[in-house]
Amino acid sequence: MAVTTTTHLNFRGDAREALDFYRSVFGGRTAAVTYKDAGAVQNESEADWLMWGEVTGDEGFHVMAYDVPSQLPWDQGRNGFFVSVRGEDTEEISALWARLAEGSTVVRPLEAAPWAPLYGMLTDRFGVTWVLDVAVAWS
């Protein structure tokens, strides 16, 4: 099974604009899910913000992004990114999660989510926030 890592950028309301810009620079395709699309709106003014988005280029460029909702802390200079680990196999992602979770603070348990069969977030003992999920093909 293949597992990849991707830079996952965090914004506060600018994720779609940033992804559009990166697509204009690197080419490729954009996929995006808003909080409204996922049925996860907690603040109406943020319904169209991106809960998950990515640009995937034909030549290997790949970046992910989302808009950090206002109820969560966000400091562009402090938590401006995550490391995203994606795989296609739930057993493989679960095993990686179990090892990475040792000594970590779980932000969101690894479990099914509306957008992925498995999704979880943790901050390791070095202060790096990791997102692990099982990839789903978005059209």
Side-chain angles (χ1 to χ4, degrees), residues 18-74:
L19 288 177
D20 289 345
F21 172 70
Y22 301 142
R23 187 188 69 234
S24 77
V25 172
F26 295 99
R29 295 162 308 287
T30 301
V33 176
T34 66
Y35 286 94
K36 181 172 37 181
D37 294 337
V41 175
Q42 294 184 22
N43 180 335
E44 269 313 308
S45 67
E46 300 169 2
D48 292 324
W49 284 13
L50 295 188
M51 183 175 203
W52 175 87
E54 70 179 352
V55 173
T56 307
D58 295 331
E59 303 301 321
F61 177 80
H62 186 212
V63 68
M64 297 173 69
Y66 100 116
D67 288 308
V68 179
S70 59
Q71 75 269 15
L72 297 178
W74 179 76

Side-chain angles (χ1 to χ4, degrees), residues 65-101:
Y66 100 116
D67 288 308
V68 179
S70 59
Q71 75 269 15
L72 297 178
W74 179 76
D75 177 339
Q76 187 174 20
R78 185 160 180 229
N79 60 340
F81 71 96
F82 298 146
V83 178
S84 175
V85 177
R86 305 194 99 185
E88 297 176 357
D89 182 273
T90 58
E91 289 180 25
E92 182 175 32
I93 291 299
S94 295
L96 291 170
W97 174 271
R99 292 193 300 268
L100 193 57

